[in-house]
Amino acid sequence: MSSLSIRSAEPSDRDLVSALLTNAQLKHIHLDWVPALDLLETQLFMLALQNDLPVACLAAPPEPITLAWIRVFAAAQEKNVASLWDALWSAIHKNSQAMGIEIIYSLSLQAWYEPLLNRSGFVRSNEVIFYEWIGSAGVLERDRTINIRRMRQSDLATVEEIDHDAFAPAWRNSRETLAAASNLSTYSTVAEYEQELVGYQISTASALGAHLARLAVRKAYQRRGIGRALVVDMLKHVARRGFDRVTVNTQTDNLGSQQLYSALGFQPTGQRYPMYAQSLR
């Protein structure tokens, strides 16, 4: 692939990248709130070109500034995918180090993608696991001293604080990402306890059912029924809209969330996505 060239993507590449993503034989898209094409506005979106046409792309924009997730990798053809990956990853790796990024993560969502991570020195560090709830929300009760209300735009600064307090750095979302998630959600709520905003949830719905996409409670207020109140309220809400199936995902090392979901009747589906990491320090 001597004619291959690597460069940073630009907003003006939108149509070219859109065509690549539409027709790619191999495509990894991170579980994300931000459309892949919108990442063209960010740093660390690299293109591999032959004859001035993109044949592969790799994006790992930093969020927050010291870490990044691989959010997009696509190759037009399966042929030479390892060489395309190597060339793009080399550019991402070099530029990430220059920017001060300390660690890059990736989920492995398809079998073909995992060997690429392994060949570049990524190490499996966790797993995302899925649960499913099927039942009647009418039998569930919650603590009524916890006030649950709709999330407002003015809540986002506090919601971001809660998110960063509740989650390890790899799983934190920025205010911009949380705003995008709230805008795309079916039902977003916050929990108030003793006149303080202490938790939130964001959920979505589709023809396949409802999905609890995000749940967080300030550490100081955990184990007081706040997470349960948010989930029960969400289950009752989606049940009123005709949904009796709800999915959620968490991590294998997040035992607290697993205990909460199990107590509410969620069952493991067996679906699991490995999480990989590479330190750049």
Side-chain angles (χ1 to χ4, degrees), residues 42-111:
T42 67
Q43 296 173 296
L44 297 181
F45 195 126
M46 308 301 296
L47 294 179
L49 300 104
Q50 282 186 318
N51 300 320
D52 296 324
L53 292 176
V55 292
C57 64
L58 178 62
E63 184 187 349
I65 193 63
T66 58
L67 65 85
W69 283 83
I70 293 178
R71 299 190 180 273
V72 178
F73 173 66
Q77 296 182 346
E78 187 172 353
K79 181 182 178 180
N80 296 323
V81 65
S83 298
L84 290 168
W85 166 270
D86 288 347
L88 287 165
W89 171 247
S90 177
I92 289 284
H93 188 279
K94 179 181 178 180
N95 292 342
S96 296
Q97 286 185 311
M99 292 174 59
I101 294 174
E102 298 176 357
I103 190 165
I104 297 182
Y105 298 98
S106 184
L107 293 178
S108 178
L109 308 180
Q110 300 99 2

Side-chain angles (χ1 to χ4, degrees), residues 149 151-163 173-183 188 190 197 200 202:
R149 63 165 174 82
M151 187 185 297
R152 307 177 188 129
Q153 191 75 17
S154 58
D155 295 323
L156 284 173
T158 305
V159 166
E160 182 185 38
E161 291 177 5
I162 294 169
D163 189 273
N173 279 337
S174 69
R175 191 179 312 181
E176 293 75 17
T177 299
L178 290 166
S182 179
N183 290 336
S188 300
V190 297
L197 201 161
Y200 79 92
I202 297 174

Side-chain angles (χ1 to χ4, degrees), residues 133 137 140 231-240 246 264 266:
W133 180 89
L140 298 174
V231 178
V232 170
D233 176 78
M234 175 264 186
L235 292 174
K236 290 180 179 294
H237 173 82
V238 298
R240 288 192 294 270
V246 179
L264 288 171
F266 285 79

Side-chain angles (χ1 to χ4, degrees), residues 132-137 139-142 212 215 227-233 235 257-267:
E132 180 181 60
W133 180 89
I134 301 176
S136 172
V139 300
L140 298 174
E141 298 295 336
R142 68 172 180 86
L212 176 55
L215 175 70
R228 177 186 173 87
L230 283 161
V231 178
V232 170
D233 176 78
L235 292 174
S257 68
Q258 293 175 50
Q259 291 169 0
L260 170 63
Y261 300 137
S262 295
L264 288 171
F266 285 79
Q267 298 292 327

